Amino acid sequence: MSIIYVLDLVGTFAFAVSGALVASKKQFDLFGVIIIAFVTAVGGGMLRDILIDAHPINWIGDLNYIWTILIAVVFTFLFKSKIEPLRKTFFLFDTIGIGVFTLLGLQKGLNFNLHPFVALIMGMISAVFGGVIRDVLTRKVPLIFKKEIYASACLAGGVVYLLLNYLAIQEDIQFIISAAVIVLIRTVSVKFKLELPKVEDDLFSKKELQ
Amino acid sequence: MSIIYVLDLVGTFAFAVSGALVASKKQFDLFGVIIIAFVTAVGGGMLRDILIDAHPINWIGDLNYIWTILIAVVFTFLFKSKIEPLRKTFFLFDTIGIGVFTLLGLQKGLNFNLHPFVALIMGMISAVFGGVIRDVLTRKVPLIFKKEIYASACLAGGVVYLLLNYLAIQEDIQFIISAAVIVLIRTVSVKFKLELPKVEDDLFSKKELQ
Amino acid sequence: MSIIYVLDLVGTFAFAVSGALVASKKQFDLFGVIIIAFVTAVGGGMLRDILIDAHPINWIGDLNYIWTILIAVVFTFLFKSKIEPLRKTFFLFDTIGIGVFTLLGLQKGLNFNLHPFVALIMGMISAVFGGVIRDVLTRKVPLIFKKEIYASACLAGGVVYLLLNYLAIQEDIQFIISAAVIVLIRTVSVKFKLELPKVEDDLFSKKELQ
């Protein structure tokens, strides 16, 4: 579990840096940057814990999240111009974060005796809604609603986890395989610019009659 | 109670379709459409349950809400171009939804021993705040803050319910009369484009001195 | 404690008036104005109580908050054109509100056995996030993320309170000194237009090489 905890903090760090970058681009002051880094990094897990009544919620129960976020903001402050060249490294950390957040959220849901489908949703919320809250506070249309295979990667990895769990595969193996699925789908979809279909027209709309 | 449960799901369906339509107009992808349909349909009840500490919250405690929403999204996907001609039918379903959501929320508040006035607010939140969350996530100024008698219809119907409840009228009758009040006020106000007053000028402002 | 309770309601009144003014400028109707006044005044404490699982939450447990907000909306409706000349008085009430909200939130956090640092954050959330929710619902970038020493004043006063608390100074004195620190920092920063630094460039960015 220890390695997963480290990866959880690595993901928190990557999410916080991404939040801090968005906020500093929007000319937020130091306080605003900290808040946006904070909600990006722990907002998803916080929402999950409020929804399933898991108190103390994530960052109240474990102060390491706050310290990680503050370090990430200082890091962004010091090395902002150096982060762009490291884009690929950060994408990797970010993607690992998504995978770990999804699976830890899903596991927490199962531990709270939720229906597996609701637990799956909780995993997705953990990974995705920090970014949604960030986008709402910085007045952007949440990116994940429009583009990129992101939440879908979380859901796919979560389904794999539930299947392996059902088959009673060893727990570490479950986690590694499912996380790999999420990282893989996310990476491939960004590389090839894959997107989900949009509901612009229905099956019987005028276009196909032309 | 069974017929009310069916009407609750009918309202959920109508709210989910309305959310899906807004999201697809905004070019959201399938995932985004599902999320917006979801928050529109169960966001109000979810907020109510979090505020009054009613766990498991609505859609976690009863999976039928999720299934109804997913069916509504598929329905929107398949028949989008057919929904516009059915506008009046959908307005009816939507308005029934508002009435049922308000009264079920109010009843839940009373069952949690809230002050009747707070229970009334909980009824209004159940009916109205799903739409508010939808508007925040799709970057629109919440419509209900600007136009239309909407929340006011919920509050009026809720007050009628509390009165009938105080008079110890039979429970089914209470529900039917109060729901009818909500549907009626809402329908009349849309038909005649009634609006609430705005606070643009006060009683002693310059205008009246001219 | 009674005087602090009165100041709490004075702060609630001032926050509600400020929310009502923003909403009426945005052409919201009466219902919208009430909702925005409401979230501005009790939104921060409400968020705090949800995060730390303190039920009943602030305005559900004490109806005086709701009455105060409704009176504030009626007051704004009646005397809107008279409020601008009283700007300085309102700034004072607002600033007292910030101080009292911060310290009451912090105390509540300590009573819930939170880590002092988390309790400090709860104090800040109590004072600041009502305004953030107002800005999100009225589609403004939250002001406190961009300008003015606001949240920082809360945090500074909170730290003073924790220090005095650690030194076991008499409770009333703790409260008065810390509140004075918040009011002072806020007033001075507005008077001299002080702002927090922004993260526009890092220590090693190109600018300093030129």
Side-chain angles (χ1 to χ4, degrees), chain A residues 7-97:
Chain A
L7 291 178
D8 190 19
L9 293 182
V10 168
T12 302
F13 186 88
F15 273 48
V17 169
S18 100
L21 288 175
V22 169
S24 68
K25 250 181 221 161
K26 285 256 174 183
Q27 305 280 328
F28 283 18
D29 67 15
L30 183 57
F31 172 76
V33 170
I34 292 174
I35 294 288
I36 300 300
F38 186 87
V39 298
T40 309
V42 294
M46 179 164 68
L47 180 58
R48 174 201 62 214
D49 288 345
I50 290 171
L51 292 176
I52 66 176
D53 203 26
H55 292 277
I57 62 170
N58 55 354
W59 60 271
I60 294 181
D62 180 359
L63 284 174
N64 285 340
Y65 292 111
I66 296 184
W67 307 139
T68 303
I69 292 165
L70 291 178
I71 293 170
V73 171
V74 171
F75 174 88
T76 310
F77 210 145
L78 293 179
F79 301 108
K80 206 180 147 203
S81 63
K82 301 289 171 298
I83 292 174
E84 179 57 22
L86 290 173
R87 207 162 33 82
K88 284 190 180 173
T89 312
F90 265 90
F91 178 76
L92 181 68
F93 287 173
D94 194 74
T95 307
I96 291 171

Side-chain angles (χ1 to χ4, degrees), chain A residues 47 50-53 55 114-115 117-118 121-122 124-125 128-129 132 136 139-148 151-152 155 195-206, chain B residues 20 23-33 35-36 38-39 46 50 53 55-57 59-61 63 66-67 70 73 75-83 136-139:
Chain A
L47 180 58
I50 290 171
L51 292 176
I52 66 176
D53 203 26
H55 292 277
L114 301 180
H115 186 284
F117 186 58
V118 175
I121 295 175
M122 289 305 154
M124 183 271 289
I125 288 177
V128 161
F129 267 77
V132 172
V136 166
R139 285 194 62 200
K140 291 166 38 167
V141 171
L143 186 67
I144 60 145
F145 293 160
K146 297 198 105 172
K147 269 208 251 181
E148 302 186 12
S152 326
L155 291 173
E195 294 183 14
L196 281 188
K198 289 178 183 173
V199 198
E200 284 174 86
D201 292 294
D202 63 47
L203 291 180
F204 313 104
S205 66
K206 281 166 201 155
Chain B
S24 67
K25 250 182 221 160
K26 285 258 174 180
Q27 306 278 329
F28 283 18
D29 66 18
L30 184 57
F31 173 76
V33 170
I35 294 287
I36 301 301
F38 186 87
V39 298
M46 178 164 69
I50 290 171
D53 203 24
H55 292 278
I57 63 170
W59 59 272
I60 293 181
L63 284 174
I66 295 184
W67 308 140
L70 291 178
V73 170
F75 174 89
T76 309
F77 210 146
L78 292 179
F79 302 109
K80 205 181 148 204
S81 62
K82 302 289 170 298
I83 293 175
V136 166
L137 289 181
T138 54
R139 283 196 62 200

Side-chain angles (χ1 to χ4, degrees), chain B residues 19 21 27 37 43 56 58 68 86 97 115 172 181 195:
Chain B
L21 287 175
Q27 306 278 329
N58 55 354
T68 303
L86 291 173
H115 186 285
D172 288 1
V181 168
E195 293 184 13

